[in-house]
Amino acid sequence: GREALPPSTLPRLYAEDETARLRGLKAEVTPTVLAPAEIKVVLVFDKPNQTATIEDIIGIRKGATHHLLWTLARKHLEANGQGLDPFDYPATSAQKLTDVLGYAEEGNVRQQVKRSRSELIRKFESAGLDADIGSSIIENVPGHGYRLNPDLVDVRVKLAP
C-alpha cells in the first residue's frame, strides 16, 4: 500500500489542499502576481533661480552637482521628447562631460560624479528618504558614460518664477 506523507510537510499540505479542492470543499484561488512598484523621483530644475529640487524636499543649489545634473538632464529630456525607450536613453561620455563641465581631464569627471552621488546620498538620508535611491540617480553606462537613471528619474524644468 501507500504510505502516508509525514504531517506538516509541504507535500502533505499540498495533497490535503488538492484533495479538498477536487472534492469541492475548497474554492480554487488564482494567485495574484503583483508587479513591483515603480519608483520615480521627480527632479525639477528651476532655471530662473538656477536650483533644482528632488521630490520638493531636497534642494540642490547652483554648483558642481547642479551643473552635472543639468548637463545629464538635457540629454534625458531630449531622449524623452523623442519617445525613446528608457533602455535607449543615451549616456554622455566622460570626455564630453570633461569639455562641457570645464574640467582638465576625465578623472575630474569621475571624481565629480562620485562627489555628487555622495552629496545626493547625504541629502536623501537627511530628508529621511532611501539613500540607495539617491546613489542611483546618476547611472554609469560602461563604455558609454553617464546619464540620469531613466527608470528612476522624471525630469521637469520650471522656466518662469
Side-chain angles (χ1 to χ4, degrees):
R2 292 175 59 184
E3 290 184 32
L5 295 168
S8 300
T9 63
L10 192 55
R12 170 86 178 251
L13 295 172
Y14 178 74
E16 289 172 357
D17 192 55
E18 278 298 291
T19 302
R21 187 183 64 74
L22 292 171
R23 288 186 180 155
L25 300 174
K26 186 172 180 179
E28 189 156 344
V29 178
T30 305
T32 305
V33 179
L34 300 175
E38 277 210 23
I39 299 170
K40 279 283 189 177
V41 174
V42 179
L43 173 58
V44 179
F45 287 91
D46 183 336
K47 291 305 292 168
N49 294 318
Q50 295 185 339
T51 60
T53 56
I54 299 173
E55 292 297 310
D56 289 326
I57 299 171
I58 298 170
I60 300 166
R61 295 186 176 164
K62 181 180 175 183
T65 296
H66 180 274
H67 196 192
L68 174 63
L69 290 173
W70 174 242
T71 301
L72 298 174
R74 289 191 306 230
K75 279 268 201 191
H76 186 95
L77 289 166
E78 184 181 311
N80 190 314
Q82 293 172 354
L84 294 179
D85 183 271
F87 182 79
D88 296 325
Y89 278 34
T92 304
S93 70
Q95 180 57 55
K96 175 84 172 164
L97 286 171
T98 300
D99 297 339
V100 172
L101 300 174
Y103 292 125
E105 57 187 76
E106 289 181 25
N108 298 119
V109 170
R110 285 188 285 279
Q111 289 173 348
Q112 182 55 51
V113 168
K114 185 176 179 181
R115 281 192 298 270
S116 294
R117 282 184 180 139
S118 296
E119 180 181 341
L120 290 169
I121 289 168
R122 278 194 312 277
K123 288 180 181 261
F124 268 71
E125 286 173 342
S126 294
L129 300 173
D130 186 349
D132 289 341
I133 294 172
S135 71
S136 300
I137 289 175
I138 300 171
E139 186 176 54
N140 180 16
V141 182
H144 298 282
Y146 300 93
R147 67 181 184 178
L148 295 181
N149 185 334
D151 294 321
L152 179 65
V153 181
D154 182 18
V155 177
R156 299 184 185 158
V157 180
K158 180 179 172 184
L159 299 173

